[in-house]
Amino acid sequence: EIVMTQSPATLSVSPGERATLSCRASQSVSNNLAWYQQKPGQAPRLLIYDASTRATGIPARFSGSGSGTEFTLTISSLQSEDFAVYYCQQYNNWPLTFGGGTKVEIK
Amino acid sequence: EVQLLESGGGLVQPGGSLRLSCAASGFTFSTYAMTWVRQAPGKGLEWVSSISGGASTTYYADSLKGRFTISRDNSKNTLYLQMNSLRAEDTAVYYCAKHTGGYSRAFDIWGQGTMVTVSS
């Protein structure tokens, strides 16, 4: 099983600032990686797939990069609606696995 | 509008069974693989099971040890998860999710979730 490790667990950021979230895979997943955003009481929402492709309707301030074992989600200028938990997920191998999440909170 | 609507959750005693349903609308259901993901209270996301569009291929998390069965009825645009021998650790919100299509196994549409509580 591929283990996905996200860091940091919590990220404190001021509105308007840049946020950088990391996701590391225990073995290469090529570019088969997705990022999701989840707000309290809501289902996750797909942000990025194939490591760097924004999903439909996702603002350009969200960008993904990386391949192999190291991946990054960048939010260029945090808006109030961006404070949430973010998960990465690999789909290169079965079983599909998620990272433990990074909570982005208001500083 | 593309939509997924889960149902069937509730309170069940340890050792009991439950069948979840996920009604799909707004897209050609049979064309897409589908997945169940769960989230225990206060915890992260856990992949449970996936099924191909034609239902010929299924995948399960090892931790389920044969207790869960995924299926679909493409004539009814509905996905199912049969859960047997339920344990306290199966308590979670269960989401159904649609794959993006092609090779990608990312999930672009999610249901609102249905809560399953296993307790005596």
Side-chain angles (χ1 to χ4, degrees):
Chain A
E1 171 176 320
I2 297 176
V3 176
M4 307 300 293
T5 303
Q6 291 188 241
S7 62
T10 304
L11 186 62
S12 298
V13 185
S14 299
E17 289 188 342
R18 182 186 194 92
T20 302
L21 288 66
S22 295
C23 176
R24 174 177 293 177
S26 61
Q27 66 187 74
S28 177
V29 298
S30 186
N31 69 333
N32 296 311
L33 184 109
W35 289 94
Y36 301 88
Q37 176 194 68
Q38 188 179 33
K39 297 178 181 179
Q42 296 185 16
R45 177 175 70 144
L46 177 66
L47 299 174
I48 301 286
Y49 63 97
D50 292 349
S52 61
T53 302
R54 273 190 303 276
T56 302
I58 301 303
R61 64 180 181 274
F62 291 92
S63 63
S65 63
S67 66
T69 62
E70 301 284 344
F71 300 89
T72 300
L73 175 69
T74 301
I75 312 171
S76 60
S77 176
L78 271 161
Q79 306 298 302
S80 57
E81 61 266 29
D82 299 336
F83 292 96
V85 179
Y86 292 83
Y87 295 95
C88 61
Q89 175 229 338
Q90 70 79 22
Y91 47 88
N92 194 64
N93 289 67
W94 301 98
L96 308 182
T97 48
F98 290 90
T102 290
K103 181 179 181 180
V104 177
E105 64 177 24
I106 300 174
K107 187 175 182 180
Chain B
E1 180 189 4
V2 177
Q3 194 170 358
L4 298 172
L5 186 62
E6 301 97 336
S7 60
L11 175 63
V12 60
Q13 292 188 338
S17 298
L18 214 53
R19 188 176 84 155
L20 306 183
S21 299
C22 170
S25 59
F27 64 100
T28 306
F29 182 67
S30 61
T31 303
Y32 293 92
M34 298 291 294
T35 279
W36 288 98
V37 173
R38 69 184 182 183
Q39 186 169 37
K43 302 297 184 182
L45 302 172
E46 179 186 15
W47 172 75
V48 171
S49 181
S50 298
I51 186 168
S52 61
S56 60
T57 307
T58 58
Y59 299 90
Y60 296 93
D62 291 343
S63 62
L64 300 180
K65 294 183 181 178
R67 297 183 297 120
F68 290 12
T69 302
I70 192 172
S71 62
R72 64 193 296 162
D73 186 336
N74 286 342
S75 69
K76 296 182 178 179
N77 289 348
T78 303
L79 174 72
Y80 303 100
L81 185 67
Q82 177 68 43
M83 304 185 295
N84 300 328
S85 303
L86 283 162
R87 307 166 179 169
E89 55 264 36
D90 296 317
T91 294
V93 174
Y94 285 73
Y95 296 101
C96 63
K98 168 188 167 291
H99 289 217
T100 53
Y103 178 76
S104 172
R105 293 186 282 262
F107 314 128
D108 60 351
I109 303 296
W110 295 65
Q112 86 290 348
T114 187
M115 184 70 203
V116 172
T117 303
V118 184
S119 175
S120 56

